[in-house]
Amino acid sequence: MKIVEYRVTPIAFSDPPLRAASGLHAPYALRTIVEVVGDDGITGVSETHGGDAVAADLEAVRDLVLGRDPLQLAALEQAIWPSSARQGGKGMEFWEGKLRSPPRTFGAIEVACLDLAGKALGRPVCDLLGGRVRDRVDFSAYLFYKHAGAGGSLGFENDPSAIGWAATCQKEALDGEALVEQAQAMVAAFGFKSLKLKAGVLPPEEEVRTIRLLREAFGPDMPLRIDPNAAWSVETSLRWAKELEGLLEYYEDPTGGKEGMAEVAKRTSLPLATNMCTVSFADLPESIRLGSVTIILGDHHFWGGLRASVELARICRTWGLGLSMHSNSHLGISLAAMTHLAAAVPNLTYACDTHYPWQAEEIIVGGKLQFEDGALTVPTAPGLGVELDHAQLERMHAQYLACGLKHRDDEIEMQKVEPGWKYVRPRW
Amino acid sequence: MKIVEYRVTPIAFSDPPLRAASGLHAPYALRTIVEVVGDDGITGVSETHGGDAVAADLEAVRDLVLGRDPLQLAALEQAIWPSSARQGGKGMEFWEGKLRSPPRTFGAIEVACLDLAGKALGRPVCDLLGGRVRDRVDFSAYLFYKHAGAGGSLGFENDPSAIGWAATCQKEALDGEALVEQAQAMVAAFGFKSLKLKAGVLPPEEEVRTIRLLREAFGPDMPLRIDPNAAWSVETSLRWAKELEGLLEYYEDPTGGKEGMAEVAKRTSLPLATNMCTVSFADLPESIRLGSVTIILGDHHFWGGLRASVELARICRTWGLGLSMHSNSHLGISLAAMTHLAAAVPNLTYACDTHYPWQAEEIIVGGKLQFEDGALTVPTAPGLGVELDHAQLERMHAQYLACGLKHRDDEIEMQKVEPGWKYVRPRW
């Protein structure tokens, strides 16, 4: 089995004006679709981060992909990473600093190769990762402070899965009460059994008040998470930790850096989760030594693919760390890959993050994947179990070319509604 | 694909009277052969540690194996390990103490399942581990002080691969000069490009003298290793480290325990290797924290199989540890599995240990695997690329029943030649 075609297609799709510590989501989110076609005519697909630089990185390794057997992944990884970077922390840190290009590039191709191999071998991708330990994967509601509107050119009007959600998700939500309404609509539509609040947007007192309102609205058994995205200082994190103890399932990236997180961890009983201070294997030795984090929010898009993520899971078991899953704005191909990974990892015991309910557009045949009681059923079809809709791919690529965005920049977007706004960290 | 038959067969085969810190090898080495048969009639095989207890552990999980798809490995592992043992160090340490039964039991079945799956999917096992990063795997000569004889019922008389080795390997070798002769015969027969001396047998001065003689005989470019199997105190280890600096590729388990090894590591420039103070994932956090070891000698037979060993390799890359491979007395099925693993692991850059040249008998069709320039070619056939010889299996099982050995006990064997001999650690 050999790869005879390799296609890298940048796309854009509607994204609502969601707020984060980094600013404001633009009307379009950018992603990249990777296709590898085998000499048997079977196509494997994957989805990763977007923008020109990501696509250029993927284009740059074309010669390493063409002619390769899709199961020869370690050799591909070795070819994409300079060999010096593979042997220890130093080299890896260098590359991690450079936008984490090698693990992201390799990971995107790896997922497409596993989809191709799975289809060719008649096996779902999770079976190539050790098999499934669960048939359903729980996801968490992802709540955002936001401005009015659904972003881009398309809302949820045509999405039958979003009945009850279509109207609410377009509303402005810039205080605790609006967030409770958003949470209720999201839970009613998708059945999520845990709630994550994207914080670091409003002053901490309002965000902590939002958590209290969510606790009141959903009762004592709904797991709650808050993610200030490192917008808070150590002192602010500790001050609000006192208010949040007993209220949270975990406290995600209240402050920045391994040292800062370790300072907070020492002085709160809240488990600290991260997708910011520990985002690569090179970060782990120091994070573990300092005690910066109790739960790693993995993400196969930047940790180096699905097999690397299974390896990360072993590290979490070995060092007694928890494991859950981070998400960016994404479509159904990423969601399917996340679901296969979560199916294969015994210690992925927290509901995974996903932006998916915020995306009305879809690029897979059959439209959006459907949550049931907040969970997705792990596909049993060969490969990822989803098929690329080429008409949608073409449309979203045209949208990419037309929208004018070439990389994500939440700061510039925020300046459009608040001139002079600057991304500072910590803000509070 | 479902497993419809599961066979566990204890076997015994001739083993020479090799000396180690633990005493003397008995005339027979014990192993266990595992077979899983799929509903398509394909059989997967593996080989693991021997004796009644190992076979009983494997028999005890029969119901977990039958009916299972051979790629559903994470679920099998989860079923074999109590779930509490999977989540952190504590539970695992408990089980590790109990003869490491769960990882060994799971690992043996996992390899057989991967052989079965590989055959069913038309893929060599290394392709199910990430693919091959090398086509040849280097092994190291494994030198032993020994008594005269080849052990058991069979010598090397019928083994065409052992021309030139057949006579020498049966000789007594209880000093440095004899070890040099042994090394020369082994290198001439198999082409090994590094030499490991099993030490902890004679007083350290004689063993260090042996290393010096090997250095003189083989020149400055032959990597040398010494393995006293923790027979030396910290002080003895440090005293002889001074003599060995500049002579060794690595210093393997000079002394026992994580603290002892860390003490030695702090005061020598020699890289410390281990297959004794760090033998499970549960050992890693403390070993790494203390700095007990610079090179892990992995072994899929007790680390929990091939996938677990790939995960161990990621941990070694992440923490900047070296990785090589430990071996017990074994036959060709284990050797094939080791070769597939080594083929798939980018950072397995040291030549692997193997006892294989000491075993005249073989259980695979076609007889013993052939080293060329000290390396094995990675099989390209589906599965492990070796087939069980059922006539040999029957014969070696009968030999198991007849030989009277039910577990390895080097101390009792040593007492037969030196009454009252006791295994003490450290001896020097």
Side-chain angles (χ1 to χ4, degrees), chain B residues 7-12 31-35 45-46 331 333 362-364 388-400:
Chain B
R7 290 192 290 266
V8 175
T9 311
I11 60 165
R31 297 289 276 179
T32 311
I33 303 299
V34 174
E35 295 167 89
V45 297
S46 76
L331 299 174
I333 300 171
E362 187 47 282
I363 203 161
I364 56 175
L388 184 61
D389 181 331
H390 283 90
Q392 290 296 333
L393 178 69
E394 238 175 85
R395 190 183 63 72
M396 290 191 204
H397 178 56
Q399 200 157 265
Y400 179 84

mmCIF file of all heavy atoms in Angstrom, chain B residues 7-12 31-35 45-46 331 333 362-364 388-400:
data_model
loop_
_atom_site.group_PDB
_atom_site.id
_atom_site.type_symbol
_atom_site.label_atom_id
_atom_site.label_comp_id
_atom_site.label_asym_id
_atom_site.label_seq_id
_atom_site.Cartn_x
_atom_site.Cartn_y
_atom_site.Cartn_z
ATOM 1 N N ARG B 7 -4.075 -21.551 23.789
ATOM 2 C CA ARG B 7 -3.264 -22.654 24.332
ATOM 3 C C ARG B 7 -2.028 -22.103 25.050
ATOM 4 O O ARG B 7 -1.340 -21.231 24.516
ATOM 5 C CB ARG B 7 -2.826 -23.592 23.202
ATOM 6 C CG ARG B 7 -3.974 -24.397 22.613
ATOM 7 C CD ARG B 7 -3.467 -25.512 21.702
ATOM 8 N NE ARG B 7 -2.886 -25.020 20.469
ATOM 9 C CZ ARG B 7 -3.570 -24.883 19.305
ATOM 10 N NH1 ARG B 7 -4.853 -25.216 19.240
ATOM 11 N NH2 ARG B 7 -2.956 -24.432 18.234
ATOM 12 N N VAL B 8 -1.784 -22.637 26.211
ATOM 13 C CA VAL B 8 -0.639 -22.233 27.037
ATOM 14 C C VAL B 8 0.191 -23.484 27.286
ATOM 15 O O VAL B 8 -0.301 -24.437 27.893
ATOM 16 C CB VAL B 8 -1.131 -21.640 28.373
ATOM 17 C CG1 VAL B 8 0.050 -21.337 29.287
ATOM 18 C CG2 VAL B 8 -1.975 -20.402 28.131
ATOM 19 N N THR B 9 1.413 -23.505 26.788
ATOM 20 C CA THR B 9 2.227 -24.718 26.887
ATOM 21 C C THR B 9 3.575 -24.415 27.525
ATOM 22 O O THR B 9 4.421 -23.740 26.926
ATOM 23 C CB THR B 9 2.463 -25.320 25.478
ATOM 24 O OG1 THR B 9 1.212 -25.400 24.793
ATOM 25 C CG2 THR B 9 3.076 -26.707 25.594
ATOM 26 N N PRO B 10 3.802 -24.918 28.732
ATOM 27 C CA PRO B 10 5.137 -24.758 29.330
ATOM 28 C C PRO B 10 6.136 -25.677 28.640
ATOM 29 O O PRO B 10 5.818 -26.824 28.318
ATOM 30 C CB PRO B 10 4.932 -25.162 30.792
ATOM 31 C CG PRO B 10 3.649 -25.899 30.865
ATOM 32 C CD PRO B 10 2.854 -25.613 29.612
ATOM 33 N N ILE B 11 7.309 -25.156 28.400
ATOM 34 C CA ILE B 11 8.354 -25.944 27.733
ATOM 35 C C ILE B 11 9.680 -25.810 28.496
ATOM 36 O O ILE B 11 9.857 -24.909 29.318
ATOM 37 C CB ILE B 11 8.592 -25.496 26.274
ATOM 38 C CG1 ILE B 11 9.024 -24.029 26.229
ATOM 39 C CG2 ILE B 11 7.344 -25.725 25.428
ATOM 40 C CD1 ILE B 11 9.616 -23.590 24.891
ATOM 41 N N ALA B 12 10.583 -26.761 28.197
ATOM 42 C CA ALA B 12 11.953 -26.692 28.719
ATOM 43 C C ALA B 12 12.899 -26.987 27.577
ATOM 44 O O ALA B 12 12.587 -27.793 26.693
ATOM 45 C CB ALA B 12 12.148 -27.694 29.846
ATOM 46 N N ARG B 31 10.369 -21.903 29.503
ATOM 47 C CA ARG B 31 9.616 -20.829 28.844
ATOM 48 C C ARG B 31 8.168 -21.292 28.706
ATOM 49 O O ARG B 31 7.845 -22.457 28.992
ATOM 50 C CB ARG B 31 10.187 -20.509 27.439
ATOM 51 C CG ARG B 31 11.606 -19.988 27.452
ATOM 52 C CD ARG B 31 11.762 -18.604 27.992
ATOM 53 N NE ARG B 31 11.510 -17.552 27.018
ATOM 54 C CZ ARG B 31 11.592 -16.253 27.321
ATOM 55 N NH1 ARG B 31 11.921 -15.865 28.553
ATOM 56 N NH2 ARG B 31 11.360 -15.333 26.404
ATOM 57 N N THR B 32 7.327 -20.388 28.240
ATOM 58 C CA THR B 32 5.931 -20.724 28.017
ATOM 59 C C THR B 32 5.540 -20.242 26.632
ATOM 60 O O THR B 32 5.888 -19.113 26.256
ATOM 61 C CB THR B 32 5.023 -20.047 29.071
ATOM 62 O OG1 THR B 32 5.575 -20.294 30.370
ATOM 63 C CG2 THR B 32 3.605 -20.585 28.995
ATOM 64 N N ILE B 33 4.885 -21.114 25.884
ATOM 65 C CA ILE B 33 4.413 -20.752 24.546
ATOM 66 C C ILE B 33 2.908 -20.499 24.614
ATOM 67 O O ILE B 33 2.157 -21.313 25.144
ATOM 68 C CB ILE B 33 4.718 -21.870 23.532
ATOM 69 C CG1 ILE B 33 6.228 -22.180 23.504
ATOM 70 C CG2 ILE B 33 4.194 -21.500 22.144
ATOM 71 C CD1 ILE B 33 7.116 -21.012 23.098
ATOM 72 N N VAL B 34 2.499 -19.337 24.090
ATOM 73 C CA VAL B 34 1.081 -18.975 24.039
ATOM 74 C C VAL B 34 0.634 -19.013 22.589
ATOM 75 O O VAL B 34 1.315 -18.473 21.710
ATOM 76 C CB VAL B 34 0.854 -17.561 24.617
ATOM 77 C CG1 VAL B 34 -0.593 -17.119 24.426
ATOM 78 C CG2 VAL B 34 1.237 -17.517 26.091
ATOM 79 N N GLU B 35 -0.486 -19.674 22.343
ATOM 80 C CA GLU B 35 -1.084 -19.672 20.997
ATOM 81 C C GLU B 35 -2.509 -19.145 21.090
ATOM 82 O O GLU B 35 -3.274 -19.574 21.953
ATOM 83 C CB GLU B 35 -1.129 -21.082 20.422
ATOM 84 C CG GLU B 35 0.228 -21.722 20.173
ATOM 85 C CD GLU B 35 0.056 -23.215 19.903
ATOM 86 O OE1 GLU B 35 -0.120 -23.596 18.738
ATOM 87 O OE2 GLU B 35 0.059 -23.982 20.886
ATOM 88 N N VAL B 45 1.291 -16.622 17.845
ATOM 89 C CA VAL B 45 2.085 -17.248 18.910
ATOM 90 C C VAL B 45 2.912 -16.218 19.655
ATOM 91 O O VAL B 45 3.228 -15.146 19.121
ATOM 92 C CB VAL B 45 3.052 -18.327 18.355
ATOM 93 C CG1 VAL B 45 2.286 -19.471 17.722
ATOM 94 C CG2 VAL B 45 4.056 -17.720 17.385
ATOM 95 N N SER B 46 3.263 -16.568 20.880
ATOM 96 C CA SER B 46 4.275 -15.792 21.586
ATOM 97 C C SER B 46 4.985 -16.684 22.585
ATOM 98 O O SER B 46 4.571 -17.817 22.837
ATOM 99 C CB SER B 46 3.676 -14.571 22.273
ATOM 100 O OG SER B 46 2.987 -14.949 23.431
ATOM 101 N N LEU B 331 13.940 -18.457 23.011
ATOM 102 C CA LEU B 331 13.980 -19.076 21.685
ATOM 103 C C LEU B 331 13.586 -18.050 20.624
ATOM 104 O O LEU B 331 13.497 -16.849 20.897
ATOM 105 C CB LEU B 331 13.050 -20.297 21.671
ATOM 106 C CG LEU B 331 13.433 -21.402 22.673
ATOM 107 C CD1 LEU B 331 12.385 -22.510 22.697
ATOM 108 C CD2 LEU B 331 14.816 -21.984 22.328
ATOM 109 N N ILE B 333 10.862 -17.292 18.954
ATOM 110 C CA ILE B 333 9.623 -16.495 18.946
ATOM 111 C C ILE B 333 9.860 -15.189 19.699
ATOM 112 O O ILE B 333 9.509 -14.101 19.225
ATOM 113 C CB ILE B 333 8.453 -17.294 19.548
ATOM 114 C CG1 ILE B 333 8.215 -18.569 18.730
ATOM 115 C CG2 ILE B 333 7.190 -16.429 19.574
ATOM 116 C CD1 ILE B 333 7.218 -19.533 19.369
ATOM 117 N N GLU B 362 15.499 -25.193 19.118
ATOM 118 C CA GLU B 362 14.650 -24.151 18.549
ATOM 119 C C GLU B 362 13.235 -24.700 18.366
ATOM 120 O O GLU B 362 13.036 -25.904 18.187
ATOM 121 C CB GLU B 362 15.229 -23.642 17.219
ATOM 122 C CG GLU B 362 14.521 -22.450 16.608
ATOM 123 C CD GLU B 362 14.230 -21.305 17.574
ATOM 124 O OE1 GLU B 362 13.261 -21.452 18.352
ATOM 125 O OE2 GLU B 362 14.930 -20.273 17.550
ATOM 126 N N ILE B 363 12.282 -23.803 18.436
ATOM 127 C CA ILE B 363 10.875 -24.202 18.398
ATOM 128 C C ILE B 363 10.168 -23.645 17.169
ATOM 129 O O ILE B 363 8.968 -23.814 17.009
ATOM 130 C CB ILE B 363 10.194 -23.759 19.720
ATOM 131 C CG1 ILE B 363 8.947 -24.592 19.996
ATOM 132 C CG2 ILE B 363 9.888 -22.257 19.704
ATOM 133 C CD1 ILE B 363 8.502 -24.546 21.431
ATOM 134 N N ILE B 364 10.923 -22.960 16.307
ATOM 135 C CA ILE B 364 10.289 -22.413 15.100
ATOM 136 C C ILE B 364 10.678 -23.227 13.871
ATOM 137 O O ILE B 364 11.760 -23.807 13.806
ATOM 138 C CB ILE B 364 10.615 -20.907 14.887
ATOM 139 C CG1 ILE B 364 12.122 -20.670 14.831
ATOM 140 C CG2 ILE B 364 9.974 -20.063 15.966
ATOM 141 C CD1 ILE B 364 12.515 -19.234 14.512
ATOM 142 N N LEU B 388 5.464 -21.614 14.536
ATOM 143 C CA LEU B 388 5.704 -22.596 15.594
ATOM 144 C C LEU B 388 5.845 -23.987 14.977
ATOM 145 O O LEU B 388 5.027 -24.403 14.158
ATOM 146 C CB LEU B 388 4.521 -22.550 16.558
ATOM 147 C CG LEU B 388 4.579 -23.413 17.807
ATOM 148 C CD1 LEU B 388 5.768 -23.030 18.687
ATOM 149 C CD2 LEU B 388 3.273 -23.259 18.592
ATOM 150 N N ASP B 389 6.891 -24.698 15.401
ATOM 151 C CA ASP B 389 7.092 -26.093 14.977
ATOM 152 C C ASP B 389 6.416 -26.972 16.036
ATOM 153 O O ASP B 389 6.922 -27.136 17.153
ATOM 154 C CB ASP B 389 8.600 -26.369 14.900
ATOM 155 C CG ASP B 389 8.916 -27.793 14.454
ATOM 156 O OD1 ASP B 389 8.105 -28.702 14.721
ATOM 157 O OD2 ASP B 389 9.991 -27.983 13.854
ATOM 158 N N HIS B 390 5.274 -27.543 15.677
ATOM 159 C CA HIS B 390 4.474 -28.246 16.693
ATOM 160 C C HIS B 390 5.144 -29.510 17.215
ATOM 161 O O HIS B 390 4.930 -29.890 18.367
ATOM 162 C CB HIS B 390 3.062 -28.519 16.172
ATOM 163 C CG HIS B 390 2.201 -27.295 16.217
ATOM 164 N ND1 HIS B 390 2.112 -26.399 15.176
ATOM 165 C CD2 HIS B 390 1.450 -26.782 17.211
ATOM 166 C CE1 HIS B 390 1.323 -25.391 15.521
ATOM 167 N NE2 HIS B 390 0.897 -25.606 16.752
ATOM 168 N N ALA B 391 5.960 -30.140 16.374
ATOM 169 C CA ALA B 391 6.681 -31.328 16.850
ATOM 170 C C ALA B 391 7.678 -30.920 17.940
ATOM 171 O O ALA B 391 7.820 -31.591 18.964
ATOM 172 C CB ALA B 391 7.398 -32.006 15.682
ATOM 173 N N GLN B 392 8.354 -29.802 17.716
ATOM 174 C CA GLN B 392 9.297 -29.308 18.725
ATOM 175 C C GLN B 392 8.566 -28.855 19.985
ATOM 176 O O GLN B 392 9.049 -29.055 21.103
ATOM 177 C CB GLN B 392 10.120 -28.143 18.156
ATOM 178 C CG GLN B 392 11.126 -28.549 17.092
ATOM 179 C CD GLN B 392 12.209 -29.481 17.623
ATOM 180 O OE1 GLN B 392 12.548 -29.465 18.796
ATOM 181 N NE2 GLN B 392 12.718 -30.339 16.754
ATOM 182 N N LEU B 393 7.415 -28.240 19.791
ATOM 183 C CA LEU B 393 6.620 -27.803 20.951
ATOM 184 C C LEU B 393 6.277 -29.013 21.823
ATOM 185 O O LEU B 393 6.447 -28.975 23.052
ATOM 186 C CB LEU B 393 5.335 -27.111 20.483
ATOM 187 C CG LEU B 393 4.372 -26.646 21.595
ATOM 188 C CD1 LEU B 393 4.969 -25.477 22.385
ATOM 189 C CD2 LEU B 393 3.008 -26.244 21.020
ATOM 190 N N GLU B 394 5.835 -30.078 21.175
ATOM 191 C CA GLU B 394 5.473 -31.296 21.911
ATOM 192 C C GLU B 394 6.689 -31.870 22.645
ATOM 193 O O GLU B 394 6.607 -32.262 23.801
ATOM 194 C CB GLU B 394 4.949 -32.342 20.919
ATOM 195 C CG GLU B 394 3.548 -32.827 21.225
ATOM 196 C CD GLU B 394 3.064 -33.764 20.132
ATOM 197 O OE1 GLU B 394 3.381 -34.966 20.207
ATOM 198 O OE2 GLU B 394 2.411 -33.268 19.181
ATOM 199 N N ARG B 395 7.799 -31.916 21.899
ATOM 200 C CA ARG B 395 9.002 -32.473 22.488
ATOM 201 C C ARG B 395 9.475 -31.636 23.688
ATOM 202 O O ARG B 395 9.826 -32.163 24.741
ATOM 203 C CB ARG B 395 10.115 -32.527 21.425
ATOM 204 C CG ARG B 395 11.366 -33.311 21.846
ATOM 205 C CD ARG B 395 12.458 -33.272 20.790
ATOM 206 N NE ARG B 395 12.964 -31.933 20.539
ATOM 207 C CZ ARG B 395 13.733 -31.245 21.393
ATOM 208 N NH1 ARG B 395 14.085 -31.759 22.545
ATOM 209 N NH2 ARG B 395 14.139 -30.031 21.074
ATOM 210 N N MET B 396 9.448 -30.324 23.527
ATOM 211 C CA MET B 396 9.931 -29.466 24.622
ATOM 212 C C MET B 396 8.952 -29.436 25.788
ATOM 213 O O MET B 396 9.342 -29.199 26.930
ATOM 214 C CB MET B 396 10.186 -28.054 24.096
ATOM 215 C CG MET B 396 11.401 -27.984 23.173
ATOM 216 S SD MET B 396 11.872 -26.271 22.833
ATOM 217 C CE MET B 396 12.721 -26.492 21.275
ATOM 218 N N HIS B 397 7.683 -29.658 25.496
ATOM 219 C CA HIS B 397 6.713 -29.761 26.593
ATOM 220 C C HIS B 397 6.970 -31.051 27.372
ATOM 221 O O HIS B 397 6.966 -31.050 28.613
ATOM 222 C CB HIS B 397 5.282 -29.722 26.054
ATOM 223 C CG HIS B 397 4.251 -29.875 27.142
ATOM 224 N ND1 HIS B 397 4.195 -29.028 28.239
ATOM 225 C CD2 HIS B 397 3.261 -30.791 27.328
ATOM 226 C CE1 HIS B 397 3.204 -29.409 29.045
ATOM 227 N NE2 HIS B 397 2.621 -30.482 28.512
ATOM 228 N N ALA B 398 7.209 -32.144 26.640
ATOM 229 C CA ALA B 398 7.532 -33.421 27.305
ATOM 230 C C ALA B 398 8.805 -33.247 28.147
ATOM 231 O O ALA B 398 8.908 -33.763 29.271
ATOM 232 C CB ALA B 398 7.725 -34.514 26.259
ATOM 233 N N GLN B 399 9.760 -32.505 27.602
ATOM 234 C CA GLN B 399 11.010 -32.231 28.310
ATOM 235 C C GLN B 399 10.735 -31.432 29.593
ATOM 236 O O GLN B 399 11.366 -31.645 30.623
ATOM 237 C CB GLN B 399 11.914 -31.435 27.352
ATOM 238 C CG GLN B 399 13.375 -31.452 27.666
ATOM 239 C CD GLN B 399 14.231 -31.150 26.419
ATOM 240 O OE1 GLN B 399 14.694 -32.063 25.746
ATOM 241 N NE2 GLN B 399 14.406 -29.881 26.111
ATOM 242 N N TYR B 400 9.762 -30.514 29.496
ATOM 243 C CA TYR B 400 9.351 -29.734 30.677
ATOM 244 C C TYR B 400 8.820 -30.664 31.761
ATOM 245 O O TYR B 400 9.205 -30.590 32.927
ATOM 246 C CB TYR B 400 8.280 -28.709 30.275
ATOM 247 C CG TYR B 400 7.776 -27.873 31.433
ATOM 248 C CD1 TYR B 400 8.472 -26.733 31.841
ATOM 249 C CD2 TYR B 400 6.629 -28.221 32.137
ATOM 250 C CE1 TYR B 400 8.030 -25.960 32.903
ATOM 251 C CE2 TYR B 400 6.180 -27.451 33.213
ATOM 252 C CZ TYR B 400 6.880 -26.330 33.589
ATOM 253 O OH TYR B 400 6.445 -25.569 34.645
#
